[in-house]
Amino acid sequence: MTETLKKTPDELNEVHEVASFNDAGRCRVTPVARFTPDVAQAVVDTLTGLVRTAHETPDATTCDADGIVRAQTFEEGDVYMLEAPFDGYFADRYLMDFYDVNRRGICSRMHLHTGLRFVRMMTGTETQIRVSSLAPFEVVEVKGVTPFMPHRFEDELPDAPGGAAITRYNLVVPENSWIDLQIPRAVSHQFNAIGPNAVIDSVHPEESIETFREKMSGYRMMAQTIFLAEELPDADTCNVLPEDQTRPHDGARSDDVPGQPAYPAGLRGQVEAVVRETVSEGPDTDASLAGADSLAVVRLLVGLENQFGIRIAAQEVVSENFRSLQALCALVDSHIGRPAGHAG
């Protein structure tokens, strides 16, 4: 693909018709790591702190010698350019401090860029990122290495023109985790953080080349953005996740049990979904587990391993670990972040 994508090269926020758009490829997703909450939060706080400092610093908020303003505001959040292109090197790199869609009441739009993007999404506590596209995500899984499998689901793209039914493919970056995303040129994507603690570390390996390919008059940081909607949608079009329909967004947890550890609602929802798929669809999950026969337990075990990319040792398959949803969450949580081949 060599033709330009911009209709008007120097237009900053160009809008294309979503009904006639076709993705040129698919986004590829690589789960990288799960961390304890304190470690994840420390990383996110350090990186978002750098962005916030830059936005208060004169040197970062005014043009440098190359005409680049390093601290800018994008649709999804505030950004700071760590590395700018220079002669013979055509990449740039930036950090984004995500907006919380619930605090501002709106979601970002589906969009695309005219060049390849490498994006690392990082979440801290009480925060998930919903990534959406008009094409299915390809998730990389390497047995024994991949630490977890992110949840995926489908819904309809809201506010499609003419009432058209357009499938939106979604992927959830869970709390306290890193996920890498490779976005080919001209592929749709949409980022929305549900919670206050999220950051993107993004590399654009051909940013300055895009300026020439799209026939722009001069380099502009991320000037190549193309949106597939005129208006920013309401927050309720992106802040509800199927495995977590009841989770409040004010810092409280919907699954706290007095006297027992509280697990992220996303984790609890995924475990419960596996139970319902493999053991019983009855309303009382704990009762279903108590009445499960050995074959159902085997199906549940395999389902949990596939869902979370973990391996549960034979000595862990005991009644205490399978007696309730809370016990299953504890079992799964004890494995998340370990290499999948390590079950001890």
Side-chain angles (χ1 to χ4, degrees):
M1 177 182 290
T2 57
E3 73 278 6
T4 61
L5 297 175
K6 299 284 284 186
K7 298 172 184 176
T8 305
D10 288 329
E11 180 67 42
L12 290 179
N13 294 320
E14 193 165 275
V15 178
H16 286 195
E17 175 59 58
V18 67
S20 59
F21 172 77
N22 289 310
D23 270 304
R26 294 185 178 185
C27 297
R28 175 167 290 189
V29 178
T30 304
V32 178
R34 294 293 300 272
F35 297 99
T36 59
D38 58 332
V39 171
Q41 193 61 42
V43 172
V44 170
D45 285 346
T46 299
L47 297 179
T48 57
L50 181 59
V51 178
R52 294 168 190 178
T53 298
H55 277 254
E56 298 175 353
T57 303
D59 282 356
T61 53
T62 56
C63 288
D64 63 14
D66 295 318
I68 296 173
V69 178
R70 289 179 176 262
Q72 297 190 16
T73 297
F74 290 175
E75 188 161 284
E76 303 94 338
D78 293 332
V79 301
Y80 171 62
M81 178 183 280
L82 289 168
E83 298 156 1
F86 56 88
D87 289 344
Y89 187 75
F90 305 108
D92 67 21
R93 183 174 199 149
Y94 73 81
L95 294 174
M96 176 186 287
D97 178 11
F98 263 113
Y99 297 130
D100 179 353
V101 298
N102 294 294
R103 291 191 64 181
R104 67 173 186 165
I106 52 176
C107 301
S108 65
R109 291 173 284 181
M110 191 76 70
H111 61 286
L112 57 117
H113 299 300
T114 61
L116 178 67
R117 299 290 184 267
F118 297 137
V119 177
R120 172 161 289 176
M121 297 171 286
M122 294 171 276
T123 57
T125 58
E126 298 295 333
T127 304
Q128 300 176 83
I129 300 173
R130 175 170 171 168
V131 192
S132 305
S133 178
L134 300 180
F137 294 95
E138 295 181 358
V139 180
V140 175
E141 182 178 13
V142 180
K143 296 294 185 182
V145 178
T146 302
F148 65 97
M149 290 298 290
H151 180 70
R152 285 174 283 176
F153 65 96
E154 299 176 15
D155 64 357
E156 280 194 13
L157 183 70
D159 302 324
I166 299 176
T167 299
R168 178 170 60 173
Y169 299 89
N170 303 276
L171 178 139
V172 180
V173 182
E175 296 179 40
N176 307 315
S177 65
W178 292 7
I179 282 183
D180 281 359
L181 182 67
Q182 293 172 273
I183 309 171
R185 182 185 181 210
V187 171
S188 63
H189 52 287
Q190 180 181 20
F191 302 112
N192 286 290
I194 306 170
N197 304 306
V199 64
I200 270 182
D201 178 4
S202 181
V203 177
H204 303 171
E206 51 181 31
E207 188 82 279
S208 58
I209 292 176
E210 293 170 36
T211 300
F212 295 102
R213 181 169 57 205
E214 300 301 315
K215 300 181 179 178
M216 297 177 182
S217 59
Y219 175 81
R220 290 193 198 89
M221 181 178 172
M222 292 297 295
Q224 298 82 1
T225 302
I226 297 169
F227 295 103
L228 298 178
E230 291 282 355
E231 305 293 335
L232 277 74
D234 292 337
D236 60 8
T237 65
C238 70
N239 68 0
V240 177
L241 306 178
E243 80 279 16
D244 185 11
Q245 294 285 354
T246 60
R247 181 177 181 181
H249 300 291
D250 58 0
R253 292 186 183 274
S254 62
D255 61 340
D256 287 346
V257 178
Q260 294 184 358
Y263 297 102
L267 169 65
R268 189 178 179 88
Q270 291 184 64
V271 172
E272 184 173 13
V274 174
V275 173
R276 294 187 185 283
E277 290 174 3
T278 58
V279 178
S280 171
E281 297 182 357
D284 190 334
T285 305
D286 287 355
S288 298
L289 288 168
D293 59 24
S294 57
L295 182 58
V297 171
V298 171
R299 290 197 302 266
L300 173 58
L301 177 66
V302 172
L304 292 172
E305 290 184 336
N306 289 338
Q307 175 68 27
F308 294 97
I310 61 177
R311 292 294 177 266
I312 298 172
Q315 61 266 29
E316 295 176 290
V317 185
V318 293
S319 59
E320 289 79 5
N321 287 336
F322 287 77
R323 70 180 184 275
S324 67
L325 183 61
Q326 181 77 8
L328 279 177
C329 287
L331 177 63
V332 170
D333 190 62
S334 71
H335 282 270
I336 290 175
R338 296 189 206 170
H342 180 73

